[in-house]
Amino acid sequence: MSIETSAAASAVVIGDALIDEIRDDAGVRELVGGAALNVAVGLRRLGVATTLIAMVGDDDAGAHIREYLSDHGVRLVESAAAHGSSRAVVQRAANGEPEYVFNEAAQKRSIRYSDEARAALAQAGLVAISCFPFDVPAEVDALADATAGARLAIDPNPRTGMLSDRAEFVRGFERVAAGAEIVKVGADDAAILYDGELDALRARLRDLGVDAVLATAGADGAILETDAGTTAAPISELPGRIVDTVGAGDATLSAVAAGLVSGAPKSLDDWHALLVRAMDIAAATCRAEGGLLRTPESLAEVERGVFGS
C-alpha cells in the first residue's frame, strides 16, 4: 500500500475531507479530496501509520470518502456531519489556477474529539492540521484542548469560499501555531490573511515561536527556516509534463511531516535533504491529476508498466 515502507511512528491529521467536483473541457468528474485528507493519504503512502480526524457525512459522498481512505490504509475517526459531506466544485480560472465553490457542509464544517480521537492524538508522533476552521472560536478551543502537548505541523490553508471572518481566522491560527513544530505557508496565505508578503509572514511566525517555517513558492520551490538555519530548494525537474498542480502543497507538507514524525532534524544539511525530497515529491505529484501523492519512484514504475498505489 505505501510507497516507502520504513518503520515510523504514527501521525494524526485533523481537517477537511471532501469530494472535488471537477468541471472542465473534459466534462464533470469527481475525486476524493480535501487538504487534510490528501496529507493523511500522503503520509500513509510514505510509510507512516496515519489517522484522519475529519467530518464525513452519512451519504454517498461519505461512502466514497470512507472507501478511498480504507483503500489507502488510513484510519478514519469521524465527526458527525449535520449538513452531509463537504463538496467543492472546481473550475479553472483564466490563468489556469483552480477556483473552488464550497457547499454548505464545507462552509459549516465542525470537528469533535471523541475518546477514540483523543487516544490517537495521545499516541501520535506528530499531529498535522490543514484547512481547519480557525475562524470559529469554539472549534479552536476544542482543537487546542485536544492537541495540548502534541508536536504540531500546521498549514492554515485558508479558502476564501469557506472564510467567514479573516481577523478571527488569524487569531485562531496564531493561537494554535505559536510553538508549533512547523508551519507551512505560501504567498496566497500571506495575501489572503495578512495582505502582505511571504517573507514578512515567515518572520512573524518565527517571532510567534514556531520552530520551523516552510514557505512554498510554487514553481520557484520553497524556503525552510529553522533554528539550525535557513535553506532553499527549487522545484525538482522530472520527466513528463505537469498535469495538475492541485495537491502539490499537500504533498510537500506530507513529505516534510513524514520526516518529522520520529523527531526533527538536528543539522541544516538534514533539513535541506528533507526539503529536497519534498520538492521531488511535489514535482511528481504534479504529473498526475488530483491530490494523490506521487514520488519519482512511483512515476518510474508506471513508465515500466507497473501500476498500483
Side-chain angles (χ1 to χ4, degrees), residues 2 47 66 78 106 113 132-133 143 149 163 169 186 194-195 233 283 285:
S2 64
R66 293 183 189 91
E78 300 180 29
Y113 304 92
F132 186 84
L143 175 68
L163 187 63
F169 190 103
Y194 296 92
D195 288 329
T285 299

Side-chain angles (χ1 to χ4, degrees), residues 50-192:
T50 305
T51 297
L52 174 64
I53 300 174
M55 185 188 79
V56 180
D58 185 17
D59 48 25
D60 288 344
H64 289 310
I65 292 169
R66 293 183 189 91
E67 181 181 22
Y68 182 86
L69 291 169
S70 177
D71 286 346
H72 286 285
V74 174
R75 174 189 176 201
L76 173 65
V77 178
E78 300 180 29
S79 289
H83 302 282
S85 293
S86 299
R87 175 178 292 268
V89 176
V90 187
Q91 294 181 303
R92 297 289 175 185
N95 62 1
E97 289 299 311
E99 293 183 334
Y100 298 87
V101 177
F102 297 94
N103 69 354
E104 183 180 27
Q107 294 176 30
K108 296 182 177 180
R109 66 202 188 286
S110 178
I111 297 175
R112 295 293 175 263
Y113 304 92
S114 62
D115 290 344
E116 182 183 9
R118 289 176 180 273
L121 288 164
Q123 296 167 5
L126 187 74
V127 176
I129 303 162
S130 184
C131 207
F132 186 84
F134 285 111
D135 49 354
V136 182
E139 296 289 334
V140 176
D141 288 344
L143 175 68
D145 177 71
T147 61
R151 298 171 61 230
L152 300 181
I154 302 174
D155 183 352
N157 211 344
R159 305 291 183 88
T160 54
M162 292 193 284
L163 187 63
S164 61
D165 186 325
R166 185 176 77 161
E168 192 62 56
F169 190 103
V170 169
R171 279 192 291 270
F173 160 58
E174 292 190 348
R175 172 186 168 189
V176 179
E181 189 91 3
I182 191 166
V183 173
K184 172 192 166 294
V185 288
D188 286 350
D189 301 321
I192 292 171

Side-chain angles (χ1 to χ4, degrees), residues 2 4-8 46-48:
S2 64
E4 298 179 358
T5 57
S6 58
L46 294 172
V48 180

Side-chain angles (χ1 to χ4, degrees), residues 227-247:
D227 289 341
T230 300
T231 186
I235 194 72
S236 301
E237 294 288 339
L238 294 177
R241 68 183 183 90
I242 294 174
V243 175
D244 189 353
T245 59
V246 171

Side-chain angles (χ1 to χ4, degrees), residues 224-268:
L224 189 51
E225 186 172 339
T226 76
D227 289 341
T230 300
T231 186
I235 194 72
S236 301
E237 294 288 339
L238 294 177
R241 68 183 183 90
I242 294 174
V243 175
D244 189 353
T245 59
V246 171
D250 301 333
T252 301
L253 180 58
S254 297
V256 173
L260 299 180
V261 170
S262 297
K266 302 301 183 185
S267 71
L268 186 59

